[in-house]
Amino acid sequence: MQWPQHCASASFSSSARIPFPSRRSAAIYRPCPSRRRRPTLMACAADTNLALLEAAKHAVDRYVRNGMVIGLGSGCASCLAIQYLGGRMRDGALQDIVGIPMSVSSATEAAKAGIPLELCRESLQIDFAFDDADVIEEGSLTAVIGRRKLEGGDSIIQEKSILKAAGRVAFITDEKQYGRDRDGSIPVLISPVNWIETAELIDDLFLGDAEVWRRPTSGHAGPMGGDFPLVTEDGHHILDVIFTSPIHNLAEVAESLNRVDGVVDHGVICGISCIAIIASENGVMVVDNSSR
């Protein structure tokens, strides 16, 4: 089987820090031009793919068994895992597998790989799910998802619901995105009604520590999201909260966002038992907190 040389995903190059007690102010929602960072497109290089492929293969070989219902994640590593899973099914090593895609791209890859698919529904028992993580926090294994460019029909809410419904979850990432005080932005789903007020509340909450940009469907990202702001399948806008220093506690950031009026959900997944499969040049490292 020929493995792809790259899997592209959108990533916001930035860093983040959990603020201490918030400093509220009446300041107008504003970016800081001196610290403005433009989102960049990040592709998986061939050498990175080799490490991610080993991590993806480990997710399938170690945790997938005959007859399972599998949540199929999004991103470069998940793309490789889906292709590898399809190959194992064609070889007869795995049988009676049903996939639950978390995105349009995972559904497309699974269809190409010959994996039977079903839509997610409450009555369906999901045995295992794997997904790419943009960041995994060492210790807690709290993860961030949703930085990638969303395609039509993609839903961060559905992606999180599949992960939370699964009997076992594995996040796949590379060693640069695993650890404490990781860099990165956090996508926040908000109601389009009075979205500027919601952005101002988030801006005040993380005053001096983060910029708040509305994600566009095309063109350059910016505070206002351009003339064509992204509208998700669920009818929400996405604010990318772009911090300017490392995040010390992702769960605390999530709790702070949950209390903001107008916030529907966000890309932080915390408080679930999961497995971190970490790709590195020295091999695959596995951290499992599911037995805690």
Side-chain angles (χ1 to χ4, degrees):
M1 179 180 295
Q2 294 295 317
W3 298 100
Q5 292 301 303
H6 73 279
C7 300
S9 61
S11 174
F12 290 85
S13 177
S14 57
S15 44
R17 178 171 69 84
I18 176 69
F20 293 100
S22 61
R23 298 172 287 163
R24 307 292 295 185
S25 77
I28 300 299
Y29 166 58
R30 64 209 179 285
C32 176
S34 63
R35 292 184 285 112
R36 180 169 297 177
R37 305 182 183 187
R38 182 167 295 176
T40 58
L41 187 66
M42 180 178 67
C44 296
D47 56 346
T48 302
N49 262 10
L50 294 176
L52 282 179
L53 174 58
E54 292 306 311
K57 290 169 65 175
H58 181 88
V60 174
D61 291 338
R62 177 66 179 84
Y63 302 109
V64 177
R65 297 292 180 266
N66 291 338
M68 278 189 169
V69 176
I70 308 295
L72 306 175
S74 301
C76 187
S78 294
C79 166
L80 296 172
I82 290 169
Q83 293 176 10
Y84 180 70
L85 174 59
R88 298 292 284 166
M89 292 175 65
R90 289 191 297 275
D91 293 342
L94 289 170
Q95 300 176 354
D96 302 322
I97 300 295
V98 174
I100 309 297
M102 299 184 199
S103 67
V104 172
S105 60
S106 58
T108 301
E109 289 299 329
K112 291 178 181 177
I115 302 172
L117 299 176
E118 285 194 25
L119 295 177
C120 183
R121 59 180 188 275
E122 290 186 6
S123 60
L124 192 64
Q125 175 61 50
I126 302 173
D127 300 292
F128 173 66
F130 58 79
D131 198 10
D132 283 44
D134 300 308
V135 171
I136 300 178
E137 186 176 72
E138 184 179 353
S140 68
L141 298 191
T142 298
V144 175
I145 63 171
R147 293 182 190 167
R148 71 182 189 278
K149 181 178 180 180
L150 300 183
E151 301 179 41
D154 284 359
S155 169
I156 293 176
I157 293 176
Q158 176 171 295
E159 187 172 353
K160 288 181 70 172
S161 68
I162 291 173
L163 290 167
K164 290 182 176 181
R168 206 169 196 182
V169 172
F171 290 112
I172 310 172
T173 194
D174 65 65
E175 60 184 341
K176 295 180 181 178
Q177 301 304 323
Y178 173 76
R180 299 185 184 277
D181 304 336
R182 294 294 88 185
D183 294 342
S185 61
I186 295 177
V188 180
L189 296 167
I190 63 166
S191 170
V193 179
N194 299 322
W195 78 269
I196 292 182
E197 287 79 358
T198 302
E200 288 176 345
L201 289 172
I202 297 174
D203 187 52
D204 288 349
L205 180 64
F206 302 116
L207 188 64
D209 294 315
E211 298 174 12
V212 183
W213 289 15
R214 186 168 62 159
R215 192 178 296 188
T217 54
S218 62
H220 295 307
M224 301 301 290
D227 296 327
F228 305 100
L230 177 67
V231 180
T232 69
E233 177 73 5
D234 306 300
H236 304 126
H237 290 180
I238 296 180
L239 297 179
D240 288 294
V241 182
I242 307 173
F243 293 82
T244 55
S245 51
I247 298 174
H248 296 316
N249 190 317
L250 279 169
E252 289 184 20
V253 172
E255 290 175 7
S256 297
L257 290 170
N258 289 338
R259 292 192 293 266
V260 176
D261 290 338
V263 170
V264 178
D265 208 337
H266 46 72
V268 180
I269 303 177
C270 56
I272 68 170
S273 297
C274 62
I275 302 151
I277 303 176
I278 303 145
S280 74
E281 295 179 356
N282 298 321
V284 175
M285 179 172 69
V286 178
V287 182
D288 188 346
N289 74 357
S290 61
S291 59
R292 294 178 186 175

